[in-house]
Amino acid sequence: MAPASLSQARVQPGFELRFQSLFNAGRGLAFPCDAEGHVDLDGLSDSARENYLFARAVVGRDYATPQVCRR
């Protein structure tokens, strides 16, 4: 079931995973995902993939726990 969700997220992302900065309310990162928050890493550019992996690594230090939001 997960691979179908990921391919749908790649084709028509209806959701995004948002990482909000803990220190700057206007700063954050968002990535297309499925309704469960799964991001298709293969569908991201190299730069976006690096940003996503960084944001995940610093949750609780630089970014809040990510939230799944409708686009």
Side-chain angles (χ1 to χ4, degrees):
M1 186 182 304
S5 297
L6 290 178
S7 74
Q8 288 173 351
R10 186 182 318 147
V11 175
Q12 292 184 335
F15 296 90
E16 63 185 14
L17 191 62
R18 294 184 190 168
F19 293 83
Q20 184 62 46
S21 172
L22 293 174
F23 304 106
N24 185 344
R27 183 172 167 243
L29 297 170
F31 305 92
C33 68
D34 64 14
E36 296 175 357
H38 299 118
V39 174
D40 177 16
L41 293 178
D42 293 332
L44 297 176
S45 68
D46 290 340
S47 175
R49 186 178 314 110
E50 288 177 16
N51 287 335
Y52 172 74
L53 294 173
F54 173 76
R56 267 190 14 185
V58 296
V59 165
R61 288 184 283 167
D62 290 339
Y63 291 100
T65 302
Q67 296 182 335
V68 176
C69 304
R70 287 197 179 271
R71 292 185 89 182

